Amino acid sequence: MMFGFGDSHSPNPDTVRLVESILLKQLRTLIQEALKYSDGKNLGGEELVFLMRHSKQKMRRFVTYLRNKQNKMILQQPVGSSTIQLVDTPKGPLMEFIERIDETGEFTDLTEFDEVKLERQLRADRISQALDEKRYLEFCKARCRSFTSNYTIQRSLEKLRLWVDPKKEINFKGEALDVLAYYAYQTIAEIVDYALLVRMDTKSGSNPFDHIPGSYYTATMFNGKHQFQEDNPDYSKVHSSQPQITVNEIREVMRRVHTPQAGKLNFGGPIPETHFLFAL
């Protein structure tokens, strides 16, 4: 997953273990925060989704996830079993809950530009263009990794439940584990994003153009060169000789998250609305 988000083809094992420990702590914190809106023992998907209410952009991204998930289920239906009709607004318990708390309609308004998502797609596109067929297939597989498998979804969710709650003290209801898996995926994505931003900051020096929005998604994260300083940056380094994200870079991310005044840690825009819960 880290490779799919922009790390080296062979991530540093120590970095992976550190990211895993951060992820586990984040998920358990999310669970405890969500339990404040339940009876303390039973956790539903609605309580977890409610935590995203302060970020309209992340809520919109989750709405897109729900829509794509439902459309995928529709497309997987046997031919002739029913009329296939893709939908723009999925209906289900979580979507109905979002509509109930969305007083202004901004959570379900998907017309606004999502800069972060576009820059992630740009990064993946730049990498894929430089890869041969074999490496491209490996990169695609990494991009498709998630905490739920297409063919063993229930088994994957059960593993996730045992990981975050090995003593089975919490009763996860309905789609709670699915929302938790989505949070886990987004957390890994943002940790890698921030680590690459930290790397850019260490190499940018005093050049003011190195800090423009989006620069850390392109050439900078591969070879330390800004996208406007080199005509043909070698994006293939992401697969062959791209430096691994280091433990120190992840630690610097966490230092900046907990003490934002110590250094900028944003996507070229406003400071994140949450202090340390990446998925929110």
Side-chain angles (χ1 to χ4, degrees):
M1 289 179 65
M2 292 179 65
F3 168 50
F5 289 127
D7 194 5
S8 168
H9 176 249
S10 300
N12 185 340
D14 292 334
T15 303
V16 173
R17 284 191 288 270
L18 176 58
V19 171
E20 181 180 318
S21 65
I22 293 172
L23 173 61
L24 180 59
K25 183 177 180 180
Q26 294 254 319
L27 293 181
R28 288 177 173 171
T29 302
L30 285 168
I31 290 172
Q32 293 304 315
E33 290 295 317
L35 285 174
K36 295 178 181 179
Y37 302 100
S38 68
D39 59 5
K41 294 183 179 180
N42 298 289
L43 183 62
E46 293 84 358
E47 289 86 354
L48 287 167
V49 172
F50 186 68
L51 297 178
M52 274 192 292
R53 67 193 184 280
H54 296 301
S55 176
K56 65 178 181 181
Q57 197 60 264
K58 292 188 177 182
M59 186 70 84
R60 289 170 179 170
R61 213 169 293 152
F62 182 69
V63 168
T64 301
Y65 165 78
L66 292 177
R67 183 185 65 183
N68 293 339
K69 181 180 177 182
Q70 177 164 330
N71 286 336
K72 182 179 179 180
M73 294 175 59
I74 294 174
L75 291 174
Q76 289 177 341
Q77 293 178 359
V79 177
S81 61
S82 62
T83 302
I84 297 179
Q85 182 179 1
L86 300 184
V87 296
D88 292 329
T89 306
K91 292 297 182 179
L94 294 182
M95 191 63 211
E96 292 175 356
F97 173 75
I98 292 173
E99 291 178 344
R100 288 200 303 271
I101 65 174
D102 185 16
E103 297 180 352
T104 61
E106 59 184 4
F107 292 160
T108 55
D109 180 12
L110 305 182
T111 60
E112 188 173 328
F113 180 68
D114 188 345
E115 180 182 351
V116 173
K117 185 176 181 179
L118 179 65
E119 295 289 2
R120 287 176 182 171
Q121 292 172 340
L122 173 62
R123 176 172 59 192
D125 179 67
R126 294 291 182 87
I127 296 173
S128 62
Q129 289 183 21
L131 302 179
D132 56 29
E133 183 177 353
K134 180 180 178 181
R135 291 177 173 179
Y136 176 73
L137 290 175
E138 292 178 4
F139 182 64
C140 286
K141 290 181 180 179
R143 292 274 295 162
C144 293
R145 295 296 183 186
S146 68
F147 289 87
T148 56
S149 171
N150 290 337
Y151 303 103
T152 58
I153 294 178
Q154 293 303 321
R155 186 184 304 174
S156 300
L157 292 179
E158 179 63 18
K159 288 182 179 180
L160 179 62
R161 186 184 71 81
L162 292 176
W163 188 47
V164 298
D165 182 30
K167 296 182 180 179
K168 299 183 179 181
E169 298 175 340
I170 302 170
N171 177 30
F172 291 90
K173 301 186 297 183
E175 298 177 302
L177 288 174
D178 187 36
V179 178
L180 201 64
Y182 172 83
Y183 279 162
Y185 180 85
Q186 292 297 324
T187 298
I188 298 295
E190 296 220 7
I191 290 176
V192 173
D193 287 340
Y194 286 153
L196 296 176
L197 176 56
V198 166
R199 175 174 296 180
M200 185 203 75
D201 284 345
T202 62
K203 297 180 179 180
S204 61
S206 59
N207 187 347
F209 292 103
D210 283 344
H211 294 282
I212 65 174
S215 62
Y216 42 88
Y217 284 102
T218 52
T220 308
M221 65 182 187
F222 304 135
N223 50 27
K225 298 291 185 181
H226 189 272
Q227 57 182 337
F228 299 128
Q229 294 175 342
E230 189 170 14
D231 294 334
N232 298 301
D234 183 8
Y235 295 104
S236 64
K237 288 184 178 181
V238 126
H239 195 285
S240 58
S241 59
Q242 150 79 338
Q244 301 167 328
I245 292 178
T246 66
V247 170
N248 288 336
E249 287 172 332
I250 298 297
R251 288 175 176 170
E252 175 64 12
V253 168
M254 300 309 296
R255 184 183 73 87
R256 295 189 186 192
V257 166
H258 290 288
T259 56
Q261 69 275 10
K264 293 183 178 179
L265 185 57
N266 53 33
F267 289 112
I271 295 177
E273 294 175 341
T274 50
H275 296 289
F276 61 93
L277 294 174
F278 294 109
L280 304 184

